[in-house]
């Protein structure tokens, strides 16, 4: 069976259960944190997949990585289901699939602005307003970062779309036009 299909099915089922329990937003936050933890620490996946690590330790590790508390019964039930079905090794893919599914269902667009230098708060506010005006009723999950390699300007990524207004890109386009 397709490994991409299994995480999507678990994510969709978790989403439905979380909504039934009025825990949709909380589960979204937990899954975002869990996915970020896996992205930041590549040893986490190896630890979770290790058959010599007992399930109770895996549960503690995943609970900590997600930022879950004892009050997050839906998350605990989710971990029990994964353990029972021997799918704990797919928890990273499920977390990413859940975040994507939640965003799709709630019309949340992932917006990332990468600039050559830290953005002035007024400029960041203008960029947010411009992007939000073009979301057609959706909301955005906004983040920004700095990449000095851009030389100047910025790049705006909205889900899979990119607006590259960086000096590096303009120089590249100028070089290509001079070569032709």
């Amino acid at each position: 069976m397709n490994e991409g299909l299994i995480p999507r099915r678990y994510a969709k089922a978790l989403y439905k259960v979380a909504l039934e329990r009025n825990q949709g937003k909380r589960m979204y936050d937990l899954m975002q944190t869990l996915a970020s933890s896996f992205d930041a620490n590549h040893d986490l996946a190896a630890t979770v997949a290790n058959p010599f690590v007992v399930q109770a330790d895996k549960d503690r590790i995943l609970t900590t990585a997600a930022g879950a508390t004892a009050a997050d019964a839906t998350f605990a039930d989710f971990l029990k289901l994964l353990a029972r079905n021997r799918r704990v090794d797919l928890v990273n893919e499920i977390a990413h699939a859940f975040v994507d599914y939640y965003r799709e269902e709630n019309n949340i667009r992932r917006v990332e602005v990468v600039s050559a230098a830290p953005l002035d708060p007024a400029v960041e506010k203008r960029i947010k307003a411009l992007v939000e005006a073009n979301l057609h009723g959706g909301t955005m999950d906004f983040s920004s970062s700095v990449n000095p390699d851009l030389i100047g300007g910025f790049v705006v990524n909205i889900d899979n779309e990119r607006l590259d207004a960086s000096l590096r890109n303009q120089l590249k386009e100028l070089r290509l036009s001079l070569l032709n």
Side-chain angles (χ1 to χ4, degrees):
M1 190 171 219
N2 183 354
E3 293 261 319
L5 182 61
I6 294 170
R8 285 193 301 272
R9 286 185 176 170
Y10 275 90
K12 188 174 180 180
L14 178 60
Y15 176 78
K16 289 180 179 181
V17 169
L19 284 185
E20 288 172 4
R21 296 180 180 182
N22 293 320
Q23 294 290 309
K25 176 67 169 102
R26 176 64 179 155
M27 192 57 60
Y28 173 65
D29 293 340
L30 292 174
M31 288 298 169
Q32 264 191 311
T33 304
L34 184 60
S36 296
S37 295
F38 272 98
D39 292 344
N41 185 352
H42 298 290
D43 292 335
L44 186 56
T47 301
V48 169
N50 188 334
F52 296 107
V53 177
V54 295
Q55 188 59 46
D57 290 340
K58 290 179 185 182
D59 289 348
R60 277 194 297 281
I61 291 167
L62 292 171
T63 300
T64 302
T69 65
D72 293 311
T74 304
F75 186 78
D77 292 344
F78 167 66
L79 293 180
K80 288 176 191 171
L81 176 70
L82 292 181
R84 187 170 52 248
N85 293 341
R86 294 189 173 111
R87 298 288 190 194
V88 175
D89 59 323
L90 293 177
V91 71
N92 179 24
E93 292 84 359
I94 295 168
H96 281 90
F98 182 90
V99 169
D100 291 343
Y101 189 76
Y102 185 92
R103 286 179 178 153
E104 180 183 316
E105 289 295 307
N106 292 281
N107 199 17
I108 300 171
R109 307 288 299 270
R110 188 180 63 234
V111 178
E112 179 188 21
V113 176
V114 182
S115 58
L119 290 175
D120 180 72
V123 172
E124 185 174 306
K125 186 177 179 180
R126 277 192 17 221
I127 292 172
K128 282 182 180 180
L130 284 170
V131 170
E132 199 165 325
N134 292 298
L135 291 182
H136 308 295
T139 58
M140 68 176 150
D141 184 5
F142 186 86
S143 67
S144 63
S145 60
V146 175
N147 180 356
D149 292 340
L150 296 179
I151 305 170
F154 58 89
V155 177
V156 178
N157 296 307
I158 304 172
D159 290 334
N160 294 326
E161 300 172 32
R162 173 177 277 205
L163 167 68
D164 193 338
S166 68
L167 188 55
R168 177 179 70 180
N169 186 54
Q170 291 173 9
L171 290 172
K172 181 176 107 182
E173 287 179 8
L174 178 62
R175 183 176 61 87
L176 289 174
S177 69
L178 290 174
L179 291 174
N180 290 330

